[in-house]
């Protein structure tokens, strides 16, 4: 990119973009050039801001088209081959006016042509190119090798040559597009350029130093990557945490609207079409909206004017073993100041000193070095590790900064003891940071589930519902084998059950766990029983309950004596309905048997022939049929009566069942 517009400020974001500021000087109507990768052009065109800070103006910004190089070169009026470039060029621009410096003088004329002539060189001859110019009214020929300087006087030829050379030059930088900023003004001025590009996400890593008798110390480092084609030399660097909205929109590729094709009507002349008057804005307004504008810059993330107090010294990482103590080394290190600023939901870290990151390199940048409120504790989670708790730092963010998530390396008494991952933390947030397994503490777990006593019984709409609690008891048996007191937090999962009323309240509650705090003496054992309960219920149908069930309900106090008497009355009515139903079934079965016998008797009568003995038998069958018909009529009347009684009894049963209502609480 252009050296007269160096990068002065870089702001990197967590959502994959970077904000870049450039400043540089221009004189008169200089043109500034910036080179971008083709894939970055959409972001640049969406966010580019250009300002002349010294009273001049920016007349336009032009950039390379999307046409391939071969197509651009094919459209050029001048072509220069790899071999014989000078002679080939001069041969293409016949008629162009030039000024040639030959020897000690200058000659102006128009190019007539270029020819090769043999020139004697000792006993042999060599072929040398000669340029023929029309100078005034005469032709003059000059040896091309004697021409020290050749200046093109025709503006069109000079621009065509510059375009060709610039196009060829851009081909050496693969997938690169040039943007030209055209300025106008007088004297030396300062130009400001800013834009947003896709950039690697900056990362964070932390160091926690634990020393006996000293407050814990937190170091923070930012990891930044320069994947661009230009070095960042002494730039002002800021790092923004948060997640603003960002997207890619295609502004670089040309857009075309599909237009209708209108055929010329040759058989008759067409009258002109007069459009109706629009109720919208004027034409001047529409044109002004369509024109590209160099507006004032969008609000760019700036450095905070309010500086936090200077923080402690900074070192490169955890040490160990002998030599000066880490904290003594920290006191001797250069102080580092981090400038911080709240920007809505975003948080900005501003590095107080210039940063240099060369192209295709990365750097660690210090952003934090402060003591914090915290202590070493144990955290047990059965699903994380069944037998042992994790050693953790109970970290309260008293640094005043928003801490981005990242890996943490923990040292204790100048020795490495483990690693952890830290989630994003706002100021005053408290988190557990587990970094190692505590083998000096052993935990065993026992589970037991049972049904508790009924606490409520309700009779309603023919159903007895009894409610009780399912009770689950989890016993944690902890043995602290270490020879130092320890603080243990037991994470018990929240599964929708509630703690029993006699349970002590948990020290903390999260979305998924209750945390119970236990103080462990050296070499001691401790027991924690977590009792939970959830509601359960059983249902009994009143209409199908028998005497034994009623006796059970009464003995369990689900119902009182009055309700028990009502239930017995229901049982009596139900038994009466059952008896009537049995009587109906017996009569129905008897009637079916009579119908079957009548069919047999009628068949026998039909088979009898004439004769005294047959007539007597037939009369006997007829008498039997008459008798059965009388019985059938009686059965029909009886069934009608039983049906009415059974229906009335069933209605009485239903009414009694639905009317029963009671509630008992225990």
């Amino acid at each position: 990119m252009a050296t007269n517009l160096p990068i002065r400020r870089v702001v990197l974001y967590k959502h994959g973009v970077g904000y870049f500021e450039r400043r540089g000087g221009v004189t008169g109507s200089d043109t500034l050039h910036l080179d971008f990768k083709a894939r970055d052009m959409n972001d640049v065109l969406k966010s580019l801001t250009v300002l002349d800070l010294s009273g001049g103006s920016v007349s336009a910004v032009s950039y390379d088209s999307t046409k391939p190089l071969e197509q651009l070169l094919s459209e050029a009026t001048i072509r220069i081959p790899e071999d014989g470039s000078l002679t080939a060029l001069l041969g293409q621009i016949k008629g162009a006016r030039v000024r040639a410096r030959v020897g000690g003088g200058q000659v102006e004329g128009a190019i007539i042509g270029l020819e090769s002539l043999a020139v004697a060189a000792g006993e042999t001859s060599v072929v040398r190119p000669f340029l023929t110019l029309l100078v005034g009214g005469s032709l003059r020929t000059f040896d091309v090798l004697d021409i020290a300087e050749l200046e093109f006087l025709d503006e069109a030829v000079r621009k065509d040559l510059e375009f060709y050379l610039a196009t060829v030059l851009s081909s050496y930088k693969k997938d690169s597009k040039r943007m030209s900023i055209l300025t106008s003004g007088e004297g030396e001025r300062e130009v400001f350029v800013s834009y947003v590009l896709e950039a690697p996400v900056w990362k964070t890593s932390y160091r926690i130093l634990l020393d006996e008798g000293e407050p814990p110390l937190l170091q923070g480092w930012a990891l930044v990557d320069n994947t661009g084609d230009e070095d960042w030399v002494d730039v002002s660097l800021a790092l923004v945490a948060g997640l603003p909205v960002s997207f890619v929109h295609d502004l670089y590729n040309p857009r075309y609207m599909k237009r209708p094709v209108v055929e010329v009507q040759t058989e008759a002349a067409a009258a002109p079409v007069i459009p109706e008057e629009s109720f919208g804005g004027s034409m001047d307004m529409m044109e002004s909206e369509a024109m590209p504008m160099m507006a004032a810059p969008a609000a760019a993330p700036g450095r905070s004017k309010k500086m936090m107090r200077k923080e402690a010294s900074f070192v490169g990482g955890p040490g160990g073993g002998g030599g000066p103590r880490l904290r003594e080394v920290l006191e001797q290190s250069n102080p580092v100041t981090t400038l911080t600023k709240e920007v809505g939901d975003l948080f900005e870290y501003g590095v107080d000193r210039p940063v240099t990151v060369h192209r295709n390199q990365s750097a660690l940048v210090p952003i934090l070095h402060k003591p914090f409120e915290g202590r070493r504790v144990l955290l047990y989670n059965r699903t994380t590790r069944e037998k042992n708790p994790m050693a953790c730092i109970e970290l309260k963010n008293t640094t005043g900064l928003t801490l981005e998530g990242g890996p943490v390396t923990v040292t204790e008494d100048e020795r490495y003891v483990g690693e952890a991952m830290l989630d994003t933390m706002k100021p005053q947030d408290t988190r557990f940071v587990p970094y190692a397994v505590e083998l000096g503490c052993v935990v065993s777990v026992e589970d037991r589930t049972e049904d508790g006593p009924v606490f409520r019984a309700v009779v309603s709409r023919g159903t007895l519902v009894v409610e009780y609690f399912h009770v689950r008891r989890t016993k944690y048996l902890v043995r602290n084998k270490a020879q130092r007191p320890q603080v243990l937090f037991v994470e018990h999962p929240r599964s929708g059950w509630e703690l029993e009323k006699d349970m002590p309240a948990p020290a903390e509650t999260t979305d998924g766990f209750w945390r119970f705090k236990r103080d462990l003496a050296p070499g001691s054992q401790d027991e924690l029983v977590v009792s939970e309960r959830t509601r359960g219920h059983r249902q009994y149908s009143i209409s199908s309950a028998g005497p034994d069930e009623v006796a059970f309900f009464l003995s369990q106090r689900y119902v009182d004596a009055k309700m028990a008497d009502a239930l017995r009355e229901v049982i009596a009515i139900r038994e009466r309905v059952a008896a009537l139903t049995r009587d109906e079934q017996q009569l129905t079965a008897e009637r079916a048997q009579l119908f079957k016998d009548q069919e047999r008797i009628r068949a026998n009568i039909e088979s009898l022939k004439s004769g005294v003995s047959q007539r007597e038998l037939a009369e006997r069958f007829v008498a039997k049929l008459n008798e059965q018909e009388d019985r059938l009529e009686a059965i029909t009347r009886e069934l009608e009566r039983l049906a009415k009684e059974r229906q009335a009894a069933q209605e009485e049963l239903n009414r009694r069942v639905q009317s029963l209502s009671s509630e008992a609480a225990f």
Side-chain angles (χ1 to χ4, degrees), residues 23 41 101 129 153 297 303 308 317 367 383 402 407 429 474 521 528 605 622:
R23 291 176 183 264
M41 288 298 291
R101 184 163 58 87
L153 302 179
R303 300 186 65 172
M308 301 291 286
I367 58 173
T383 58
T402 295
D429 283 355
T474 305
L528 169 67
I605 294 175
V622 170

Side-chain angles (χ1 to χ4, degrees), residues 66-136:
T66 59
K67 291 182 179 180
L69 175 66
E70 295 76 10
Q71 184 176 353
L72 290 173
L73 293 178
S74 67
E75 295 174 356
T77 58
I78 295 177
R79 293 177 178 80
I80 303 177
E82 295 291 337
D83 298 326
S85 56
L86 177 60
T87 57
L89 172 62
L90 295 177
Q92 294 179 55
I93 54 175
K94 293 179 181 180
R97 293 192 58 78
V98 296
R99 179 185 294 122
R101 184 163 58 87
V102 183
Q106 292 184 344
V107 179
E108 291 187 14
I111 296 177
I112 297 299
L114 193 71
E115 57 184 336
S116 300
L117 299 176
V119 178
E123 298 179 355
T124 62
S125 63
V126 295
V127 178
R128 299 177 66 173
F130 284 82
L131 176 65
T132 301
L133 300 178
L134 177 62
V135 181

Side-chain angles (χ1 to χ4, degrees), residues 396-600:
K396 183 177 182 180
N397 183 11
T398 56
T399 64
L401 308 179
T402 295
L403 304 180
E404 274 294 299
V408 181
T409 300
V410 182
T411 63
E412 186 173 0
D413 294 331
E414 304 183 15
R415 286 174 176 79
Y416 166 87
V417 293
E419 299 173 358
M421 284 297 297
L422 183 69
D423 287 336
T424 300
M425 294 181 64
K426 291 289 187 180
Q428 302 304 315
D429 283 355
T430 301
R431 301 284 172 81
F432 287 91
V433 184
Y435 61 87
V437 176
E438 179 54 76
L439 299 176
C441 186
V442 180
V443 182
S444 61
V445 185
E446 298 178 4
D447 293 310
R448 186 178 65 185
T449 302
E450 60 188 21
D451 290 343
V454 173
F455 63 87
R456 185 166 176 260
V458 178
V459 176
S460 177
R461 297 183 178 276
T463 303
L464 169 62
V465 178
V466 294
E467 299 179 13
Y468 59 95
F469 284 111
H470 294 295
V471 179
R472 180 171 59 200
R473 291 184 174 87
T474 305
K475 182 169 70 173
Y476 296 91
L477 184 61
V478 183
R479 185 158 60 99
N480 179 23
K481 298 188 293 183
Q483 297 305 308
R484 61 177 177 180
Q486 306 202 74
V487 176
L488 171 68
F489 287 87
V490 177
E491 284 192 337
H492 186 81
R494 297 174 59 192
S495 57
W497 293 39
E498 63 179 8
L499 294 175
E500 286 200 301
K501 295 181 179 180
D502 57 349
M503 274 292 301
E508 296 180 4
T509 301
T510 70
D511 288 341
F513 297 95
W514 287 302
R515 285 184 182 147
F516 297 92
K517 180 183 175 184
R518 313 296 290 183
D519 293 317
L520 306 178
S524 65
Q525 282 196 173
D526 186 75
E527 182 179 292
L528 169 67
V529 178
V530 180
S531 297
E532 306 167 85
R533 67 184 187 180
T534 187
R535 292 174 181 268
H537 69 275
R538 289 187 293 268
Q539 293 186 355
Y540 301 92
S541 175
I542 296 297
S543 59
S544 60
D548 293 339
E549 285 81 359
V550 173
F552 173 74
F553 298 159
L554 188 59
S555 65
Q556 297 296 320
R557 296 189 301 166
Y558 299 163
V559 297
D560 55 14
K562 182 179 179 181
M563 179 59 67
D565 292 340
L567 292 178
R568 294 188 183 98
E569 292 178 3
V570 167
I571 294 174
I573 297 173
R574 190 183 70 233
E575 290 178 350
R576 181 183 173 195
V577 171
L580 293 172
T581 302
R582 288 193 300 270
D583 291 344
E584 284 185 291
Q585 292 173 347
Q586 291 176 358
L587 290 176
T588 301
E590 182 182 355
R591 183 172 61 180
Q593 184 62 42
L594 289 175
F595 285 146
K596 186 177 181 180
D597 290 344
Q598 284 186 338
E599 290 177 1
R600 177 178 59 80

